[in-house]
Amino acid sequence: MAPRAFDERVSIDQNRRLVTSLPGPRSQELHARKNAAVSSGVGVGLPAYIEKAGGGILVDVDGNHLIDFGSGIAVTTVGNAAPAVVANVQEQVADLTHTCFMVTPYEEYVAVAEALAELTPGDHEKRSALFNSGAEAVENAIKIARTYTGRDAVVAFDHAYHGRTNLTMALTAKSMPYKHGFGPFSPEVYRAPMAYPLRWPTGADRCGDEAFQAFVDMVHTQVGETNCAAVIIEPIQGEGGFIVPPQGWLSRIADFCREHGIVLIADEIQTGFCRTGDWFACDHEGVVPDLITTAKGIAGGLPLAAVTGRAEIMDSVHSGGLGGTYGGNPVACAAALGAIATMKETDACARAKQIEALFVPRLEALRSKYDVVADVRGRGAMLAIELTAGAGDLTPNPKATAAINAYCHSQGLVTLTAGTFGNVFRFLPPLSSPDHLLTEGLDIIDEAFASVLG
Ligand SMILES: *Cc1c(COP(=O)(O)O)cnc(C)c1O
């Protein structure tokens, strides 16, 4: 059977349309209420309040149709309010909203665990445990690795992002805004250099080998291999700026972990579920992690996260050691089953590759035209450009990045920035977005560059 098209059955008109300037008057009213009622610690990128979304469009309360290049940070991969997600959720929520899986279980949780065993890298026996958020999945992956190995230390990388809870703040690299003022942080977290080709001191060609050697030396001298419970790694870094390590680096880390009995945790919370053109980014190099954390794209927008891994590791935890009141909520699980079915039926991995093919020539054209564009990178529908001072000067250019981002917002294109230095402009469109919206969004980005850099 041929894959069905993504955008069928989406009722929202798939055209950008601005009927007010952004944010419009109703959004401004809501934003005043937000500022009076919601902590200022919860920031907002573009204060256009959304009331409907689908395909590649977000509709705000003033009736503006915005183009979505963010997917709510890589969550609505199958589209917002995707038909199969809505249908499963509606049926499930009318039948059963909650029992707590640890009290009296239900089938949907088991079905999600079965799907994870089928889809995640490797054909070994697997088990899963479900949680509410990515950070919670990461914390549990570390707990599991520590129990299994009887060791304490965990190694993470420069530019890593693993969440905002105490242990995951410790794993996250960037201080402002994620960690600033929130310490002290969880101990026994060590940091290795990231293989960041653009910024490797001796150049991109030597980055893979030297970064791997620096990692090995760090583990040996600062941690001790036999004290190391886990190495946690994003196969393509997300919030850190869509950093793609050189081919082979990840598999060398995996080999090192295997050799020393260290649990390799792939944090695929942002890269997972077809985003990069494979079911998981590890598949690209055939790397099989011991544990994998997933969330974001897994459930089409409902909160769900998972740790999946080798049965002997996952089953090393004492009964009752893993869980939580809401983890694997039946409505979120039903949504995940709908999202996964949609990914299979639409061949979402192929769609992500089409999006890459559509974007990359346009982003490369920007690199040719503007010397502030120092890098075009990413994979599938997870793509970014990094902006610097230009003319070979790699000084980060967060100012131009913010100005270009703001221009896009003013034109009704919802874009995101990222990166340790705030100088990465990143693209995470829903795979359900029709091509004409992607092209129009790229046209707006061209205008934004012309307007800001003239
Ligand atoms: C978003 C993200 C997290 C944290 O997920 P939350 O659901 O926000 O807690 C962890 N790791 C990666 C790679 C992420 O992109």
Side-chain angles (χ1 to χ4, degrees), residues 73-75 132-138 160-165 168 172 232-240 266-271 293-296 303-305 382 426:
I73 318 187
V75 170
N132 304 296
S133 71
E136 207 188 340
V138 169
Y161 182 84
H162 297 293
R164 297 171 180 267
T165 58
T168 59
T172 290
I232 182 163
I233 201 161
E234 298 158 87
I236 297 177
Q237 287 185 322
E239 303 307 297
D267 181 350
E268 293 237 24
I269 288 168
Q270 191 153 160
T271 49
T293 55
T294 53
K296 293 199 165 93
L304 187 70
M382 179 173 183
R426 62 168 159 170

Side-chain angles (χ1 to χ4, degrees), residues 220-416:
H220 184 68
T221 58
Q222 296 182 39
V223 187
E225 294 81 352
T226 55
N227 301 314
C228 190
V231 169
I232 182 163
I233 201 161
E234 298 158 87
I236 297 177
Q237 287 185 322
E239 303 307 297
F242 289 16
I243 300 163
V244 186
Q247 183 85 14
W249 178 79
L250 187 60
S251 50
R252 290 172 79 183
I253 303 260
D255 292 344
F256 176 87
C257 289
R258 197 171 311 112
E259 188 185 330
H260 295 285
I262 299 167
V263 174
L264 177 67
I265 304 169
D267 181 350
E268 293 237 24
I269 288 168
Q270 191 153 160
T271 49
F273 286 101
C274 307
R275 177 51 62 184
T276 64
D278 291 290
W279 275 95
F280 295 93
C282 280
D283 294 331
H284 187 72
E285 278 191 47
V287 169
V288 178
D290 300 306
L291 300 180
I292 179 167
T293 55
T294 53
K296 293 199 165 93
I298 191 175
L302 273 81
L304 187 70
V307 181
T308 301
R310 296 185 187 281
E312 65 273 20
I313 301 176
M314 295 296 293
D315 285 344
S316 69
V317 182
H318 48 280
S319 177
L322 303 175
T325 306
Y326 295 113
N329 168 272
V331 181
C333 286
L337 296 171
I340 291 167
T342 301
M343 290 179 209
K344 288 183 174 174
E345 286 164 20
T346 56
D347 195 354
C349 291
R351 178 64 186 144
K353 287 182 179 142
Q354 285 172 359
I355 290 175
E356 177 179 347
L358 193 150
F359 269 66
V360 168
R362 298 288 304 265
L363 301 178
E364 287 294 353
L366 286 172
R367 167 150 60 182
S368 307
K369 192 160 174 199
Y370 299 99
D371 65 2
V372 299
V373 179
D375 204 9
V376 174
R377 60 179 183 246
R379 206 150 69 217
M382 179 173 183
L383 298 166
I385 53 181
E386 177 161 353
L387 276 66
T388 64
D393 178 350
L394 289 183
T395 307
N397 196 339
K399 218 173 130 211
T401 311
I404 289 164
N405 195 46
Y407 182 97
C408 292
H409 288 182
S410 75
Q411 299 305 304
L413 175 65
V414 180
T415 45
L416 303 169

Side-chain angles (χ1 to χ4, degrees), residues 434-449:
D435 281 355
H436 75 88
L437 289 179
L438 302 175
T439 302
E440 189 175 354
L442 289 162
D443 293 344
I444 293 168
I445 291 167
D446 284 349
E447 283 169 36
F449 269 84

